[in-house]
Amino acid sequence: MKRVLIFDSGVGGLSVYQEIYTQLPSLQYIYAFDDAGFPYGELPETVLIKRTRHIVSLLVERHHIDLVVIACNTASTVVLPTLRAELTIPVVGVVPAIKPAALMSKQKAVGLLATPATVEREYTHQLIAQFASDCDVYRIGSTRLVEMAEEKLRGKSVSLDELAGILTPWQGKVDSIVLGCTHFPLIKAEIAQAFGTPVNIVDSGLAIANRVKSLLGELEAGEQSALVSNYTYNSAADPHTAALNLSLKSLNLGAVQSLNYPGF
Ligand code: DGL
């Protein structure tokens, strides 16, 4: 049985986990999130790289991981070369789905919804230049949206008015929206409802799941053995995890355990 580590700053990577789990339910999953460093969209790049490297290498060793998914756009846009140089196992990253959104857009007007860091990254500028040079690409970098997804997974309802307020600048302007942060597919239905007018909403989850499948092979099809548990780790000593643990349980993930990592 293969073991996969999925990493994010918070609950966003769960949107990627869901896509992978649907296709490959027989793997063992270790989900880790760096809530002590959250939100990554507001961290300096050097700090983000250091934190990701530490947590990922610790868990790769502890759980004899076969493949790592950096299920965070903000981290993937800067950390992948370092991780790939350090680890001997495959490292899959996630980047904003600019290319399919640009292809899909009839009006050639695309909105990129991501973290404040991702909308400014050089990597993102290059993606747009390479795949959406025939489109107007509008950007919103929002940490509040990330927090709303965190709240939803802890049982709080999402305010459609607040969402509509964030999306107002794009009304009548775009016909495709890229969810360039893994937190946002968790509130995709609410985003669609708050936007009001019909719009294509594109994320990278399925592409990541397909990539993992092609790297680990079709051999892993079938149900997970009842003897196997999936684990969840966080980096902060957060005692208030009861509501989140309910969401994790519904996704077949274990309750949050703190890494208590002394490295920070
Ligand atoms: N889920 C993350 C992403 O895909 C980061 C959110 C954050 O911590 O700012 O970008």
Side-chain angles (χ1 to χ4, degrees), residues 170-243:
W170 288 352
Q171 280 299 339
K173 261 192 180 167
V174 306
D175 64 359
S176 292
I177 294 178
V178 180
L179 301 183
C181 168
T182 53
H183 278 74
F184 301 164
L186 300 171
I187 52 169
K188 182 177 175 178
E190 290 88 345
I191 290 172
Q193 207 180 331
F195 196 68
T197 49
V199 66
N200 303 309
I201 302 184
V202 192
D203 67 64
S204 315
L206 185 59
I208 302 303
N210 288 336
R211 178 80 187 127
V212 172
K213 200 171 180 178
S214 77
L215 285 167
L216 291 184
E218 311 283 327
L219 290 173
E220 300 293 328
E223 290 299 301
Q224 190 176 54
S225 151
L227 299 172
V228 174
S229 309
N230 299 322
Y231 295 95
T232 309
Y233 292 99
N234 70 343
S235 56
D238 175 8
H240 306 293
T241 51

Side-chain angles (χ1 to χ4, degrees), residues 8-13 34 37-43 71-76 94 114-116 118 142-143 146 150 180-184:
D8 184 30
S9 60
V11 299
D34 184 15
F38 176 91
Y40 270 16
E42 296 182 16
L43 272 192
C72 173
N73 294 261
T74 313
S76 294
V94 50
T115 64
T118 298
S142 170
T143 294
V146 179
E150 291 282 332
C181 168
T182 53
H183 278 74
F184 301 164

Side-chain angles (χ1 to χ4, degrees), residues 49-67:
I49 292 171
K50 187 174 167 215
R51 299 188 69 92
T52 304
R53 280 175 64 199
H54 280 167
I55 295 173
V56 167
S57 55
L58 176 86
L59 288 171
V60 163
E61 210 174 299
R62 187 184 290 183
H63 283 279
H64 309 289
I65 296 295
D66 296 291
L67 182 145

